[in-house]
Amino acid sequence: MGVPAKDAISVIRQGPERDEFQILLFSKIVPNVKKLGLLDAADGWLRKKFTELGVIEFEDWADATEEADAFADGSPAERGVA
C-alpha cells in the first residue's frame, strides 16, 4: 500500500483500540495459561512478563472452556465434558 512498515506500526501502537484489544486478548490467554500450569513454570518467568504487561489481573477470570460451556447446548455432564 506504499506505507512504510515503521510508520504503520507506530500508528497501530498509538491507536485507542489497542488497549481494548489487549484486554480482550489477555483476558482469555492468562486464565488458560494458569489452568495449564504454565503461569508459574520456569521460576515464574511468564507470570513476571504478564505482570510487566499489566495483564496478570486476569489470572483468576473464567477460562475459555468455562465460557464455551456456558453457551453450549445441554449440561457439561450431558455432553461428556468434565
Side-chain angles (χ1 to χ4, degrees):
M1 296 180 80
V3 178
K6 188 176 184 179
D7 293 343
I9 290 169
S10 176
V11 168
I12 290 170
R13 285 187 174 162
Q14 295 173 9
E17 59 280 336
R18 183 174 185 267
D19 289 339
E20 293 174 28
F21 174 75
Q22 181 170 314
I23 288 169
L24 178 64
L25 177 68
F26 284 101
S27 70
K28 305 297 181 194
I29 292 174
V30 177
N32 285 296
V33 168
K34 181 179 181 180
K35 184 176 182 177
L36 293 170
L38 300 174
L39 196 55
D40 293 311
D43 296 324
W45 181 87
L46 200 49
R47 177 178 290 280
K48 179 181 175 190
K49 295 301 178 185
F50 284 160
T51 300
E52 290 172 3
L53 286 171
V55 297
I56 196 65
E57 67 189 73
F58 302 121
E59 73 175 295
D60 293 320
W61 284 32
D63 65 44
T65 305
E66 294 173 16
E67 188 174 279
D69 283 346
F71 291 103
D73 291 333
S75 71
E78 290 172 337
R79 294 190 323 274
V81 177

